[in-house]
Amino acid sequence: MPPPKKPAARGKRPQGKKSPQGKKGTQRAKPAQAARTSQSNRTGKSAGPAEGSAPKPVPAAELPEADRVVEPTGQAADERKAKREAARQERIAAAKKKQKAKRRKRILIAAAVAVALAGGIAFAMQRSAADKAAAAQAAKAAGCGPILTFDNQGREHLGPNATYNNYNSNPPTSGPHNPSPAPWGSYPDPVEKERLVHNLEHGGIVIYHKDLPDPQVDRLESFVDSYRDAVISTPDDSIDKPLVITSWTRMQKCERFSQQAVEGYIDEWCGKGPEKVATCRR
């Protein structure tokens, strides 16, 4: 029978075996780790980094595609810059083209207006010359003499009922006159000459007639009444011709009434008085 083993002496440890202190040290580290694990299990969250420490950056590959920012580098960046510059140059070119088209349109409109005005002026001048020639021909056919001119005798106002007998023409064409002009239009009876001189001062036309046939008188009065203002007709037995047309300092004598001849005189001399009151419009 083999002899029984002797127990190991105290203070000695067998070789090849860990000391009880090593085991005890290892066991001390476990409670802290277990506490953290237990706390994580209770809150349902994993233990994060310690308070005050910076969060770890998330790699770009792990971000959603919409949140990724990819900075172009090298050739890609140059291409994008070139495209932006090309687009900008296109916008500038389009704006310049639009402005140039507007300028061209304004120039064409101005040129068209200038041509129209020039044509209108030329047409008006031709028509005016033609009208004057026709009026002169009509005056000649009506037995009208040349337009006579007299010295200006002034513009003195007389008393309300005063008369004046020293005019340098008959009928008068200037000089002292009544302070109130006669209303415009045709008159069946004679009008005071002192009042009619005031109408001449306003730039009006006064037509005197004597012994004209009734049809001519009717035509004359209808013609005179077609004007808004500026024209008067009145009978006068003192004149030496059947029809005498007067304006300020001017006169023309005719054998008969011719509307075209009288119109030519009015167009030429109406509104030429010292005071621009008469409008000479129909």
Side-chain angles (χ1 to χ4, degrees):
M1 170 181 272
K5 294 182 180 179
K6 295 181 180 180
R10 292 183 179 180
K12 296 182 180 179
R13 60 181 181 183
Q15 295 181 355
K17 294 183 179 180
K18 296 181 180 179
S19 64
Q21 293 179 353
K23 292 180 181 181
K24 188 176 182 180
T26 304
Q27 291 175 355
R28 286 177 183 173
K30 289 181 180 180
Q33 184 177 1
R36 286 197 300 272
T37 303
S38 176
Q39 183 179 2
S40 175
N41 292 335
R42 286 195 306 270
T43 59
K45 299 179 181 180
S46 60
E51 184 178 357
S53 60
K56 294 181 180 180
V58 179
E62 297 180 7
L63 289 174
E65 185 175 355
D67 294 338
R68 299 178 188 177
V69 179
V70 180
E71 294 294 336
T73 58
Q75 184 177 359
D78 294 341
E79 290 178 355
R80 286 189 59 183
K81 185 177 180 180
K83 288 181 179 179
R84 287 196 300 269
E85 180 62 21
R88 189 178 73 86
Q89 293 298 333
E90 288 180 2
R91 291 193 300 270
I92 293 173
K96 288 183 177 179
K97 185 177 180 181
K98 188 175 182 180
Q99 292 177 355
K100 187 176 181 181
K102 287 183 177 179
R103 285 196 299 270
R104 186 184 297 109
K105 185 177 180 180
R106 287 196 295 267
I107 292 171
L108 291 175
I109 292 174
V113 170
V115 170
L117 287 175
I121 292 171
F123 177 77
M125 292 176 65
Q126 292 176 358
R127 183 177 180 182
S128 177
D131 290 345
K132 286 183 178 181
Q137 187 66 28
K140 184 178 179 180
C144 298
I147 295 175
L148 306 175
T149 303
F150 300 90
D151 292 336
N152 188 342
Q153 289 188 288
R155 302 160 55 191
E156 179 185 354
H157 280 187
L158 300 170
N161 298 316
T163 60
Y164 188 77
N165 297 316
N166 293 322
Y167 291 115
N168 59 4
S169 67
N170 183 44
T173 58
S174 67
H177 52 268
N178 190 294
S180 299
W184 305 104
S186 62
Y187 290 83
D189 299 313
V191 181
E192 300 91 334
K193 294 178 180 179
E194 290 81 6
R195 296 190 70 186
L196 296 176
V197 172
H198 199 155
N199 292 83
L200 299 182
E201 182 187 30
H202 287 179
I205 303 293
V206 178
I207 304 172
Y208 299 86
H209 61 89
K210 180 183 75 170
D211 298 334
L212 282 178
D214 289 341
Q216 289 194 31
V217 173
D218 292 340
R219 289 171 52 203
L220 170 63
E221 292 179 347
S222 177
F223 169 74
V224 169
D225 291 338
S226 68
Y227 281 84
R228 299 180 184 178
D229 58 19
V231 183
I232 287 178
S233 68
T234 179
D236 187 350
D237 290 338
S238 68
I239 60 176
D240 58 359
K241 290 291 182 179
L243 189 79
V244 178
I245 313 167
T246 61
S247 57
W248 188 257
T249 70
R250 289 176 175 84
M251 176 192 300
Q252 187 175 33
K253 299 178 181 182
C254 301
E255 296 293 338
R256 66 188 63 88
F257 169 70
S258 167
Q259 178 174 327
Q260 192 172 18
V262 175
E263 278 181 331
Y265 187 99
I266 293 174
D267 291 343
E268 183 68 23
W269 300 112
C270 187
K272 301 288 180 66
E275 298 178 4
K276 310 301 181 183
V277 178
T279 63
C280 307
R281 295 177 181 175
R282 285 185 171 181

